[in-house]
Amino acid sequence: MLPFQVNDAIQLKLIKPQDRDELYSLFDLNRVFLREWLLWVDKRQSPDDLDAVIEVWTRNYEENNGFDAGVWFNQELVGMIGLHYIDWRNKATSIGYFLSESSQGRGIVTTAIEKLITYLFNDLKLNRVIIQCAENNIRSRAIPEKLGFVNEGTSRQAQWLYDHYENIVTYSLLSSEWQECVSK
């Protein structure tokens, strides 16, 4: 599936060892911005910290168990989209994402996820996709809301984020809902 050409400007590509330094630079340049919502930011203190994680991402992809892909916009790495563990028995998965601060507001992630959802439902024949966002992360929540995901509810204090708990909102979209939305 990867690389996945979203449109002329956006491409999703599997993160490979040769992307390590570029990915680390993206993390480092956006560290303060990303740290507001993402727990793993402090664990990435040098490019070497990415070696083991890139191996896991590669293995997951090879085992048909999701992926962690870089989001390239006009051939610049600007973020990532992760298709987490695929529950093949229940035909379900979840999506996570982040985008650099300077790339916000251009519809990059929304466009990429919209195309990805079509692939997940039409090609992989999945039935359910979940996106979870911190309750106060309005920009992140706007993506599933714009794409027609259903707000299933809020898990109170579900994630410890450095020095406080965050409420987590769970959104889901079913294949039948997506097909209905696309046909309109």
Side-chain angles (χ1 to χ4, degrees):
M1 173 213 167
L2 294 174
F4 186 78
Q5 196 69 43
V6 174
N7 61 25
D8 290 341
I10 304 168
Q11 185 178 45
L12 304 181
K13 295 190 293 188
L14 190 65
I15 296 291
K16 297 183 177 176
Q18 59 265 32
D19 301 316
R20 170 188 95 145
D21 292 343
E22 186 177 7
L23 182 60
Y24 177 76
S25 181
L26 177 69
F27 292 162
D28 204 39
L29 289 171
N30 290 275
R31 188 171 298 279
V32 173
F33 175 72
L34 295 174
R35 192 177 191 278
E36 185 173 357
W37 306 113
L38 301 173
L39 188 58
W40 50 260
V41 174
D42 285 356
K43 296 177 184 175
R44 312 297 186 248
Q45 294 298 317
S46 79
D48 294 340
D49 294 336
L50 295 174
D51 292 337
V53 114
I54 290 172
E55 283 181 33
V56 170
W57 295 342
T58 301
R59 188 170 43 256
N60 287 345
Y61 182 70
E62 289 169 351
E63 293 173 355
N64 202 21
N65 192 19
F67 61 77
D68 287 87
V71 177
W72 272 263
F73 180 69
N74 293 327
Q75 300 180 7
E76 176 188 351
L77 181 62
V78 296
M80 288 186 71
I81 292 179
L83 183 67
H84 303 141
Y85 167 79
I86 300 174
D87 177 349
W88 288 105
R89 175 177 239 182
N90 292 302
K91 298 184 183 265
T93 192
S94 65
I95 297 173
Y97 44 84
F98 78 84
L99 197 62
S100 67
E101 186 172 18
S102 63
S103 299
Q104 300 280 313
R106 298 181 188 174
I108 295 169
V109 172
T110 303
T111 301
I113 289 179
E114 182 177 25
K115 294 287 186 183
L116 179 59
I117 289 168
T118 298
Y119 173 80
L120 296 175
F121 290 145
N122 292 346
D123 295 8
L124 295 186
K125 306 296 184 203
L126 296 183
N127 181 57
R128 177 178 159 90
V129 175
I130 296 168
I131 294 178
Q132 293 185 310
C133 306
E135 184 176 45
N136 293 317
N137 191 341
I138 303 306
R139 283 189 158 175
S140 186
R141 290 182 60 189
I143 294 167
E145 290 171 359
K146 182 174 185 174
L147 293 174
F149 280 65
V150 173
N151 182 332
E152 290 191 342
T154 301
S155 298
R156 300 177 307 139
Q157 297 188 2
Q159 178 179 312
W160 176 255
L161 190 61
Y162 302 105
D163 61 356
H164 66 284
Y165 285 100
E166 284 287 334
N167 294 343
I168 300 296
V169 180
T170 299
Y171 295 91
S172 70
L173 184 66
L174 304 178
S175 177
S176 58
E177 295 166 336
W178 185 247
Q179 301 310 329
E180 184 178 310
C181 183
V182 171
S183 66
K184 288 183 181 179

